[in-house]
Amino acid sequence: GIQVEQSPPDLILQEGANSTLRCNFSDSVNNLQWFHQNPWGQLINLFYIPSGTKQNGRLSATTVATERYSLLYISSSQTTDSGVYFCAVGEGGLVFGKGTKLTVNP
Amino acid sequence: GAVVSQHPSRVICKSGTSVKIECRSLDFQATTMFWYRQFPKQSLMLMATSNEGSKATYEQGVEKDKFLINHASLTLSTLTVTSAHPEDSSFYICSAGRAEAFFGQGTRLTVV
């Protein structure tokens, strides 16, 4: 089956810093999503981005489908950005990467 | 985006009993829903695909007799953990959506 790898596994930032999270996938996909899992476990949809670039406030994402990777950019990070960020691919049932745990310190 | 609601958010049950978790699509009809499990500090793993009006499809290694799935209407899928054991303690979460997936709030199950 398809493999999804995320990097880095852990990331610690000072408030106000920028960061880039990466997601590599092993096969072509028609669906790629980025999620933020909050401390209560809920998955917050960030981007549905099978290809191209999207922006939403301080967050943006780019997927280069032909090269099988996606990037999530977080600018001017805030403490509330802390949590685990997941990339997931697939049609219907999703295959998740192992996530990037982001800690933003004040 | 679409709204998916899951209930209960937290449940504690005794070993040997069964627990039912509900997943509802509130503002759209879902012929297919998905159930995932997440162990502490791990990623989400797809357990099964719930199909309205037909049998669920289980991923390899998931016991269909332990995790009973019923999708009796276009807005409701249920997951019943039967004869629960402490090793079934986990975070269970459902999703629905046509292209973009939307997730319920999740259910934290503790079996004592």
Side-chain angles (χ1 to χ4, degrees), chain A residues 31 33 35 37 40-43 45 47-48 86 92-94 96-98 101, chain B residues 34 36 38 41-44 46 91 93 95 99-105 108:
Chain A
N31 177 18
Q33 292 185 240
F35 299 93
Q37 188 168 39
W40 297 272
Q42 188 165 8
L43 285 173
N45 286 43
F47 294 102
Y48 169 69
F86 286 106
L94 297 175
F96 281 77
K98 293 185 176 181
K101 182 179 179 182
Chain B
F34 302 91
Y36 299 79
Q38 184 181 31
K41 300 188 186 301
Q42 294 189 24
S43 188
L44 286 81
L46 179 66
F91 185 68
I93 191 166
S95 77
E100 182 175 2
F102 294 89
F103 283 79
Q105 302 92 323
R108 199 163 300 279

Side-chain angles (χ1 to χ4, degrees), chain A residues 6-12 20-22 85 98-102:
Chain A
Q6 291 186 244
S7 60
D10 294 278
L11 187 56
I12 300 174
T20 301
L21 282 58
R22 187 176 180 103
Y85 290 79
K98 293 185 176 181
T100 292
K101 182 179 179 182
L102 175 63

Side-chain angles (χ1 to χ4, degrees), chain A residues 75-95:
Chain A
S75 64
S76 303
S77 59
Q78 301 175 357
T79 56
T80 52
D81 293 332
S82 295
V84 182
Y85 290 79
F86 286 106
C87 165
V89 304
E91 299 190 44
L94 297 175
V95 177

Side-chain angles (χ1 to χ4, degrees), chain A residues 10-68:
Chain A
D10 294 278
L11 187 56
I12 300 174
L13 302 173
Q14 287 299 120
E15 203 167 25
N18 302 329
S19 62
T20 301
L21 282 58
R22 187 176 180 103
C23 172
N24 293 333
F25 43 97
S26 61
D27 205 348
S28 59
V29 296
N30 291 323
N31 177 18
L32 187 145
Q33 292 185 240
W34 283 97
F35 299 93
H36 177 208
Q37 188 168 39
N38 66 22
W40 297 272
Q42 188 165 8
L43 285 173
I44 309 300
N45 286 43
L46 298 178
F47 294 102
Y48 169 69
I49 187 165
S51 64
T53 297
K54 291 185 177 179
Q55 180 158 6
N56 184 3
R58 296 182 295 105
L59 273 61
S60 64
T62 295
T63 297
V64 183
T66 53
E67 297 186 22
R68 299 180 184 169

Side-chain angles (χ1 to χ4, degrees), chain B residues 6-21:
Chain B
Q6 191 172 334
H7 177 82
S9 59
R10 189 178 290 267
V11 60
I12 301 173
C13 72
K14 291 185 176 181
S15 189
T17 62
S18 296
V19 173
K20 181 184 285 188
I21 303 169

Side-chain angles (χ1 to χ4, degrees), chain B residues 13-17 66 81-89 109-112:
Chain B
C13 72
K14 291 185 176 181
S15 189
T17 62
K66 167 168 275 295
V81 183
T82 63
S83 187
H85 291 286
E87 56 265 31
D88 298 324
S89 298
L109 171 64
T110 303
V111 184
V112 298

